[in-house]
Amino acid sequence: MKIRISLLKILFRQTLPATLIALPVGCFYVLLTKQVLSWRNPWMALFVLVHSIAIAVMSGRYRSKTFAFLYTRGFTRDELWCNKMLNTTFSVLTVWLPVALIIWLPIRSAVQDKLFVSPYFPIMMMREASVPWVWLGGYAILLPLFHYVWIRRAQPLRGGSGVILLAISVVIVIGILMLFRRHPLWFRFLIYVLSTVMIAASLIAGRILHRNLEVQ
């Protein structure tokens, strides 16, 4: 894979609106929310979902003139796909890392303790430290799948819209799993394995199909 800086700049500008909106929203939420954050937090789950959809949609507008322009500039399909995935990673980290640092550093704990006089802090600071990793895992599951959705829909084949049902089903399953506070160790291990398989399958299938993508 060749990293094309000029291509990455164009791709980053495409997803920049989502970044500029998501960054302050995520930072202010974790900074000001008074409840102890957990992996089951519905608002942050919704945040990750909406942000992932926005990134995928802005990256995969295969009917737009900008999309057609990029795909006629001499880049190979693999170069375009790999740079899109790299830009997706960068777009996620641009938002996720500042949000995570607010939690990991004494910033959130200090605001909750000094400003809101919360009885939970700084005691709960260590408990919240693992939560950002769960959010990053959510991005890792959703974004390869959402990219696969637009790549499949751009194929010159019937049934492209059916892949949307697959994405909706995955989101529903994740939502159901979040309703339960605890899961047995064996079940958690199974979820980790299945998630890894799904991520790998989405990435591999997306890359293969992307080579036959039809610019409209």
Side-chain angles (χ1 to χ4, degrees), residues 43-161:
W43 291 111
M44 283 306 298
L46 180 62
F47 174 84
V48 171
L49 173 62
V50 173
H51 188 208
S52 298
I53 292 174
I55 291 175
V57 169
M58 292 177 179
S59 299
R61 291 180 290 188
Y62 55 91
R63 291 190 175 95
S64 68
K65 294 181 179 179
T66 302
F67 191 93
F69 173 82
L70 283 180
Y71 279 69
T72 56
R73 296 302 97 186
F75 300 114
T76 67
R77 292 299 171 88
D78 281 349
E79 284 178 342
L80 286 163
W81 183 86
C82 290
N83 280 274
K84 279 179 180 286
M85 296 305 105
L86 184 60
N87 174 66
T88 295
T89 302
F90 184 68
S91 297
V92 168
L93 292 179
T94 302
V95 174
W96 174 83
L97 187 57
V99 171
L101 288 176
I102 290 175
I103 296 174
W104 292 336
L105 299 177
I107 302 173
R108 167 171 161 77
S109 180
V111 170
Q112 295 297 317
D113 182 31
K114 304 299 183 182
L115 182 60
F116 297 122
V117 196
S118 172
Y120 301 117
F121 293 90
I123 300 173
M124 290 297 179
M125 179 179 173
M126 295 302 297
R127 179 179 173 180
E128 292 184 339
S130 62
V131 177
W133 295 110
V134 178
W135 299 337
L136 187 61
Y139 280 114
I141 293 172
L142 294 176
L143 275 166
L145 177 61
F146 291 165
H147 277 299
Y148 174 73
V149 168
W150 72 259
I151 292 172
R152 176 63 183 86
R153 295 192 68 201
Q155 299 299 311
L157 302 171
R158 290 184 177 182
S161 298

Side-chain angles (χ1 to χ4, degrees), residues 195-207:
S195 298
T196 302
V197 171
M198 188 177 70
I199 293 169
S202 298
L203 288 172
I204 293 171
R207 181 166 186 171

